[in-house]
Amino acid sequence: MQEQFKPFVHPVNLYNNKDLVAASSELSLLMQGRRSVRTFSDKPIPAEVIHNLVSIAASAPSGAHKQPWTFCVITSDEIKLKIREAAEKEEFVNYHGRMSDEWLQDLKKFGTDWHKTFITTAPYIVVVFKKTYDIEADGSKGKNYYVNESVGIACGFLLSAIHQLGLVSLTHTPSPMNFLAELLNRPSNEKAFLLIPIGYAADDAKVPDIERKPIEEVMLKY
Ligand code: IYR
């Protein structure tokens, strides 16, 4: 196929009247407030919001533009409960021997355990699947590239957009996650990547008292 190009449409910014320094400072301040939240409100969110959020996630760049992802949006109480029960079963094993002492020690400050109430409380659960390869229309296998990087970036887009709307989320990994593909009838080329509850934070939500690394430690200038 001959390559074809079209003019680039330059991005418009939401901070039209501010200079770049002021705008970036404001955006940074907003993003610094993002936290992983484990106590959700059951307050409903319009389906259109989730539609728009998934559109944002699916706008992420991907290896050779293969878009190797599927976002399963779950609102069914019955399916949420099945997912929660299966996740708690795996996590019970994780917290009772499958995770190393060092790992358990590292998790202490988050107060996590095998109970995963948020799976049935949050109005939406999005299970993100990565397509390790494509199944073409004729049944043959198609190659995907940099799948983990691509799907990770899409999830980053999603988390950032959720936060900018004043909603909260959690990157949950009830490992091993094979039960998710089974429960959601996903084909053999799809592997669960992340389970992301989306909603409002509970009124009395608390988060761990932890700090981020200072910028000087993570940004090196050459
Ligand atoms: N998947 C487990 C354990 C866990 C792992 C990490 I890395 C965390 O940041 C938090 C928890 C769970 O969800 O409880």
Side-chain angles (χ1 to χ4, degrees):
M1 196 179 74
Q2 185 77 29
E3 76 269 24
Q4 284 201 317
F5 286 83
K6 61 182 180 182
F8 174 62
V9 180
H10 288 262
V12 285
N13 76 79
L14 295 171
Y15 302 85
N16 266 327
N17 300 319
K18 294 203 186 75
D19 69 31
L20 203 50
V21 175
S24 60
S25 163
E26 199 168 305
L27 183 56
S28 173
L29 206 63
L30 172 67
M31 292 310 297
Q32 301 308 322
R34 190 206 53 78
R35 296 298 307 260
S36 290
V37 168
R38 292 183 170 78
T39 37
F40 284 73
S41 157
D42 61 0
K43 184 175 166 181
I45 290 170
E48 259 180 289
V49 173
I50 301 300
H51 183 277
N52 290 332
L53 283 169
V54 174
S55 299
I56 292 167
S59 76
S62 60
H65 195 49
K66 293 284 186 166
Q67 305 166 79
W69 43 58
T70 305
F71 301 88
C72 293
V73 177
I74 297 138
T75 52
S76 153
D77 286 336
E78 192 188 328
I79 300 176
K80 282 184 195 169
L81 185 60
K82 279 190 185 153
I83 292 177
R84 178 178 164 185
E85 285 170 352
E88 289 184 332
K89 203 167 150 189
E90 293 297 354
E91 293 290 22
F92 185 90
V93 183
N94 288 338
Y95 281 89
H96 293 86
R98 200 151 55 189
M99 295 193 295
S100 66
D101 288 343
E102 184 182 0
W103 192 348
L104 290 170
Q105 195 57 38
D106 281 339
L107 289 181
K108 271 227 164 99
K109 53 166 113 46
F110 306 99
T112 56
D113 61 23
W114 61 273
H115 295 96
K116 301 298 163 191
T117 322
F118 51 78
I119 299 177
T120 47
T121 315
Y124 288 93
I125 303 296
V126 173
V127 182
V128 184
F129 287 89
K130 64 177 180 186
K131 292 187 169 181
T132 51
Y133 57 91
D134 274 339
I135 301 175
E136 309 294 359
D138 64 1
S140 65
K141 279 189 183 182
K143 233 182 130 28
N144 288 336
Y145 311 94
Y146 302 104
V147 169
N148 288 317
E149 290 84 347
S150 304
V151 183
I153 292 166
C155 290
F157 274 36
L158 180 59
L159 264 48
S160 170
I162 289 167
H163 177 70
Q164 292 185 47
L165 292 176
L167 302 171
V168 299
S169 65
L170 176 66
T171 46
H172 182 40
T173 51
S175 170
M177 299 205 279
N178 311 333
F179 68 88
L180 290 165
E182 250 166 69
L183 275 173
L184 299 170
N185 291 318
R186 301 316 306 150
S188 58
N189 61 327
E190 294 191 16
K191 301 266 171 284
F193 186 79
L194 273 182
L195 186 161
I196 307 177
I198 302 172
Y200 288 97
D203 285 339
D204 59 352
K206 286 199 167 57
V207 291
D209 189 4
I210 50 175
E211 300 294 329
R212 296 195 168 99
K213 290 178 180 175
I215 185 74
E216 296 75 24
E217 193 182 328
V218 298
M219 183 173 88
L220 309 178
K221 297 178 187 173
Y222 290 86

